[in-house]
């Protein structure tokens, strides 16, 4: 089984005019679990943030990059990313949010402890 097949979590990072957040996003990526999938997508190409992130994180096996120049709007962008999720859990991580190491592990533990919960 590959790492992608054993991952329980996919983290979605939609980009839009994200150049000021590249360093911030890279910090968040370092806090994500080793066994997760990360989908980084830019649907508007308003700047080169996705290229800068791919140059920095392109060798990270957890991360996949998607580009689609369109004006689909945030909601449709997220829905298109959710359509790519093949894991038990998924999370949207906005470009300007901050997480700490262990954040997602705590959320998954909470969901495992409460199987009837819909979200954590």
């Amino acid at each position: 089984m590959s790492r992608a097949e054993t991952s329980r979590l996919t983290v979605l990072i939609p980009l839009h005019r994200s150049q000021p957040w590249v360093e911030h996003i890279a910090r968040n990526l370092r806090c994500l679990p080793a066994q997760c999938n990360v989908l980084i997508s830019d649907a508007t190409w308003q700047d080169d943030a996705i290229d800068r992130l791919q140059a920095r994180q392109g060798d990270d096996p957890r991360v996949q990059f998607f580009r689609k120049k369109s004006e689909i709007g945030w909601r449709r962008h997220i829905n298109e990313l959710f359509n790519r999720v093949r894991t038990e859990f998924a999370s949207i991580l906005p470009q300007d949010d901050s997480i700490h190491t262990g954040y997602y592990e705590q959320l998954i533990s909470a969901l495992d402890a409460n199987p009837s919960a819909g979200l954590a």
Side-chain angles (χ1 to χ4, degrees):
M1 252 186 217
S2 72
R3 182 208 48 79
E5 293 171 329
T6 60
S7 298
R8 296 179 70 198
L9 170 68
T10 300
V11 178
L12 312 175
I13 305 176
L15 304 178
H16 177 70
R17 295 183 182 166
S18 303
Q19 190 170 19
W21 300 101
V22 168
E23 191 64 39
H24 185 81
I25 295 165
R27 268 193 310 275
N28 278 342
L29 289 170
R30 289 191 296 272
C31 294
L32 294 176
Q35 288 297 111
C36 77
N37 300 323
V38 183
L39 307 180
I40 299 176
S41 175
D42 188 343
T44 61
W45 287 7
Q46 302 271 327
D47 60 24
D48 68 344
I50 196 165
D51 296 322
R52 292 174 60 198
L53 285 164
Q54 188 164 17
R56 294 174 67 141
Q57 307 294 143
D59 62 344
D60 186 335
R62 302 173 302 168
V63 182
Q64 292 182 305
F65 295 90
F66 300 96
R67 293 166 176 82
K68 178 180 178 178
K69 187 161 176 76
S70 66
E71 295 298 326
I72 60 175
W74 190 84
R75 185 174 300 152
R76 187 160 162 214
H77 189 187
I78 290 298
N79 284 333
E80 286 184 6
L81 286 174
F82 270 122
N83 285 334
R84 296 177 181 272
V85 173
R86 301 292 177 259
T87 55
E88 182 180 2
F89 301 114
S91 173
I92 301 167
L93 180 56
Q95 63 195 20
D96 57 345
D97 279 8
S98 294
I99 62 167
H100 57 82
T101 301
Y103 174 77
Y104 281 109
E105 291 87 344
Q106 290 173 324
L107 294 178
I108 290 172
S109 290
L111 291 168
D112 285 343
N114 300 287
S116 64
L119 58 99

